[in-house]
Amino acid sequence: MAVELSFLGISSGVFCVIFGIYEKLVNSVLNLFKNFKKNFLFLIPIGLGGTTGVFLVGKILNFLFASYPMPTSFCFIGLICGSLPILFKQANQKKRFRLHYSIFLLAAFGIGLLSIRLETVLPALIQIDTNSISFFYFVLAGFAMSIGIVVPGVSSTVILMCLGVYSHYLNAVATANFAILFPMGIGVLLGSILFLKMIQFLLDKYYSQTFYAIIGFVLGSIFVLYPGIEFTGQGILSILLFMISFCIGLAFEKLDNSH
């Protein structure tokens, strides 16, 4: 499910953070062969869930966002907001909160808000003819795209728009155009390994600062989803779904405390 949400403007990494698996996911991928059985068994259900999300749940989500954008968006916003207590708890689990940690949160939040603005203006500013793009440029685009895959709250959409290949990427996915998908896949693979190692280093050395930055990106993703509010039947339903999903998000903390 989270994989498909990246097409809707929200990073799949956000939901890995919300579900409390982000740090373990990073370590499992990078240390796959150090404890193969344990890491493989952890990654398999995530991989199956991601595949299911793209081919099954993703179609349902696309329908819901297209037909009922306000209630669906508020449902996910509630889930994110309800999960914030456990995110702050995770950020402070190794060191107590220090005031300067808020700088990392605010900076990441600002970047998230800027990405929303860029996503609206870039398509008109940057247009590149597919025929003029080389194989290695698509590799570079995939490499840059991996930042949005690895770093929660950073939009791959904005990154590909900056490089002028977002529409080409969407068309390639829709038509299974491997002339574009293959080089981009190479770039994503190389970039993911590099940026996962960087995230692992930052979490090892600067855990709280890094996690507060991640929270800032997560908060920014709320504004990516926010569709506005109208006090109609759908608006009332949206508020109700927000409250329900908010309670579900809070329940994650209770589940975490039970372990």
Side-chain angles (χ1 to χ4, degrees):
M1 180 182 73
V3 175
E4 182 63 25
L5 282 169
S6 62
F7 287 95
L8 300 169
I10 183 168
S11 166
S12 56
V14 167
F15 284 89
C16 291
V17 174
I18 290 173
F19 294 133
I21 63 172
Y22 181 73
E23 186 178 0
K24 188 174 181 180
L25 180 64
V26 170
N27 291 327
S28 295
V29 171
L30 293 178
N31 300 304
L32 177 62
F33 297 105
K34 289 185 179 180
N35 191 339
F36 182 79
K37 182 178 180 180
K38 179 181 178 181
N39 292 326
F40 182 75
L41 291 176
F42 173 74
L43 292 171
I44 276 294
I46 296 175
L48 291 175
T51 303
T52 303
V54 171
F55 292 106
L56 179 61
V57 180
K59 293 182 179 179
I60 299 173
L61 287 176
N62 277 329
F63 168 77
L64 290 174
F65 271 99
S67 303
Y68 309 100
M70 189 189 303
T72 307
S73 296
F74 271 90
C75 186
F76 283 106
I77 291 172
L79 181 64
I80 294 173
C81 291
S83 302
L84 288 176
I86 194 171
L87 297 186
F88 282 103
K89 178 183 175 182
Q90 291 175 5
N92 296 324
Q93 68 179 1
K94 293 187 177 181
K95 290 184 179 181
R96 295 182 62 181
F97 173 75
R98 291 176 171 81
L99 186 59
H100 70 271
Y101 292 167
S102 59
I103 297 175
F104 297 93
L105 186 153
L106 293 173
F109 179 69
I111 293 172
L113 293 182
L114 177 62
S115 70
I116 300 172
R117 176 60 181 165
L118 289 175
E119 198 165 333
T120 61
V121 301
L122 284 175
L125 297 177
I126 303 177
Q127 296 180 355
I128 298 178
D129 181 11
T130 309
N131 296 324
S132 67
I133 303 177
S134 69
F135 178 93
F136 292 104
Y137 190 80
F138 279 122
V139 173
L140 173 64
F143 185 86
M145 179 184 177
S146 67
I147 300 174
I149 296 173
V150 170
V151 182
V154 176
S155 173
S156 297
T157 299
V158 170
I159 292 172
L160 293 180
M161 283 181 174
C162 288
L163 296 172
V165 298
Y166 181 63
S167 61
H168 307 311
Y169 167 69
L170 289 183
N171 290 332
V173 171
T175 61
N177 184 352
F178 288 98
I180 292 176
L181 295 178
F182 179 69
M184 290 190 69
I186 295 175
V188 167
L189 179 61
L190 295 175
S192 295
I193 294 173
L194 174 63
F195 293 116
L196 281 171
K197 286 186 175 294
M198 290 177 61
I199 289 293
Q200 185 183 51
F201 171 81
L202 291 172
L203 287 171
D204 287 342
K205 301 295 184 180
Y206 309 100
Y207 180 87
S208 296
Q209 295 93 322
T210 303
F211 218 98
Y212 270 97
I214 289 173
I215 292 174
F217 284 124
V218 170
L219 289 172
S221 69
I222 292 175
F223 291 88
V224 175
L225 284 168
Y226 181 66
I229 184 69
E230 298 175 1
F231 292 99
T232 60
Q234 280 205 26
I236 295 172
L237 176 61
S238 299
I239 295 172
L240 179 62
L241 288 173
F242 171 85
M243 295 172 64
I244 294 173
S245 58
F246 180 82
C247 292
I248 293 173
L250 289 176
F252 290 151
E253 184 175 15
K254 295 179 180 178
L255 290 173
D256 184 68
N257 289 334
S258 65
H259 288 83

